[in-house]
């Protein structure tokens, strides 16, 4: 990247801006792995718009990340500018509260558990399923994040997006192509700026009890406290419908394939939940990637099923012949 880029960015964002060069993305992903971003900037809404326009003009690649809780970033890192949508873009605004249903508008960088707790504090139900999902609102829209019978699709009304041509558009829920852990935004290059979420009045204690129940289920079944990106693999379509509950959990196939205790380097299949690959502390992204491939090959050989990753891969990974 041209050395004037940093000077240009400083000029554009002002002297106080934090522009990090060669920033290890292991610091910004829940897996705790990943090489450097050439340039890393935590942005607010206007900075995001300005930087993307500048990068387009200069032909510099840009990658948007949220909380990095569904990402496997390669050890080689990411070229160009990584734009982090998080704590500088996380306002939550409540609509009129004199009705049974209330719209909250959350900026893309607001983190789901905080939004869910804030909603509960206002006696608003609908986000209980999301109270343990450690992503941002933007990441959750893109992934149609869900758990325990709920998903973003159930509560989303519309989102504001920044389109690749720099225009801003409002997209209604029907046009988002939300499905099991998918949306049109996975491939459209649109960036979520904020989301309108429709919630319903309910007793505060009832909402909190639901959240507690979900948290206890999570604690009992998932490797909380260990570094991961949640479920590594997507549940498998069995031809019974798109909903998560109609799909076969990946952990069943992983166990059937004898991969319950598989590991590569510092990456291992979690003892507590075979659907989670964890970083035992010293894993590289290549370890995680090679373990993913090992599990996929074993499941294919034993069960004849192609397991797809739910985790999003960013950057370059080893070619087939280089896999460990
Ligand atoms: C312990 C643990 C438990 C988890 N449990 C669940 C669960 O129960 N259910 C579930 O669905 N997921 C779960 N996850 C996965 C993850 O939290 C979700 O997928 C979450 O929605 C990802 O949000 P994020 O902000 O971290 O996105 P990132 O991981 O940062 O990004 C994910 C994708 O979204 C894109 N993106 C992010 N923000 C934007 C934006 N504003 N505009 C456009 N694109 C954007 C990125 O480019 C990337 O492609 C879990 C993860 C962990 C670590």
């Amino acid at each position: 990247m041209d050395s004037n880029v940093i000077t240009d960015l400083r000029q554009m964002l002002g002297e106080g801006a934090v522009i990090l060069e060669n920033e290890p993305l292991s610091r910004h992903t829940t897996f705790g792995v990943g090489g450097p971003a050439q340039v890393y900037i935590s942005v607010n809404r206007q900075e995001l718009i300005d930087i993307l326009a500048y990068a387009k003009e200069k032909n510099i690649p840009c990658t948007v990340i949220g909380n990095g809780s569904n990402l496997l970033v390669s050890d080689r890192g990411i070229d160009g500018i990584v734009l982090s949508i998080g704590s500088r873009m996380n306002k939550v605004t409540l609509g009129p509260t004199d009705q049974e249903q209330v719209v909250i508008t959350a900026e893309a960088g607001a983190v789901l558990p905080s939004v869910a707790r804030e909603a509960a504090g206002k006696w608003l139900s609908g986000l209980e399923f999301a109270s343990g999902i450690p992503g941002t609102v933007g990441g959750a829209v893109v992934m149609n994040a869900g758990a325990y019978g709920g998903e973003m699709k159930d509560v989303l009304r519309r989102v504001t997006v920044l389109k690749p041509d720099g225009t801003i558009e409002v997209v209604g829920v029907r046009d988002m192509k939300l499905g099991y852990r998918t949306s049109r935004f996975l491939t459209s290059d649109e960036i979520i700026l904020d989301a309108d979420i429709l919630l319903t009045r309910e007793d505060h204690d009832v909402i909190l009890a639901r959240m507690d129940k979900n948290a206890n289920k999570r604690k009992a079944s998932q490797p909380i406290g260990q570094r991961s990106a949640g479920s590594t693999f997507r549940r498998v379509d069995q031809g019974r419908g798109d909903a998560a509950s109609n799909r076969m959990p990946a952990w069943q196939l992983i166990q059937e394939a004898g991969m319950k205790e598989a590991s590569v380097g510092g990456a291992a299949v979690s003892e507590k939940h075979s659907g989670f690959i964890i970083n035992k502390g010293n894993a590289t992204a290549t370890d995680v990637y090679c373990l993913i491939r090992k599990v996929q090959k074993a499941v294919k050989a034993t069960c004849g099923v192609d397991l797809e990753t739910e985790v999003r891969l960013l950057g370059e990974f080893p070619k087939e012949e280089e896999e460990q």
Side-chain angles (χ1 to χ4, degrees), residues 30 64-71 85 108 132-136 138-140 142-147 181 186 190-192 218 222 228-231 276 310 312:
T30 53
V64 165
I65 65 169
N67 207 29
S69 66
N70 199 41
L71 292 181
I85 297 184
I133 301 178
T136 60
V142 172
M143 296 306 302
N144 186 26
R181 304 298 168 266
L186 275 174
E190 293 160 305
I191 296 171
I192 313 294
R218 215 175 256 281
Q222 297 182 6
S228 78
S231 298
F276 281 53
E310 178 171 323
R312 310 282 301 158

Side-chain angles (χ1 to χ4, degrees), residues 213-241:
K213 196 172 160 198
N214 289 345
N216 289 335
K217 275 194 215 161
R218 215 175 256 281
K219 225 157 120 191
S221 63
Q222 297 182 6
I224 306 292
Q226 287 186 295
R227 307 207 73 160
S228 78
S231 298
T232 311
F233 302 98
R234 290 165 61 80
R235 288 173 175 234
V236 177
D237 187 355
Q238 302 182 95
R240 294 193 199 146

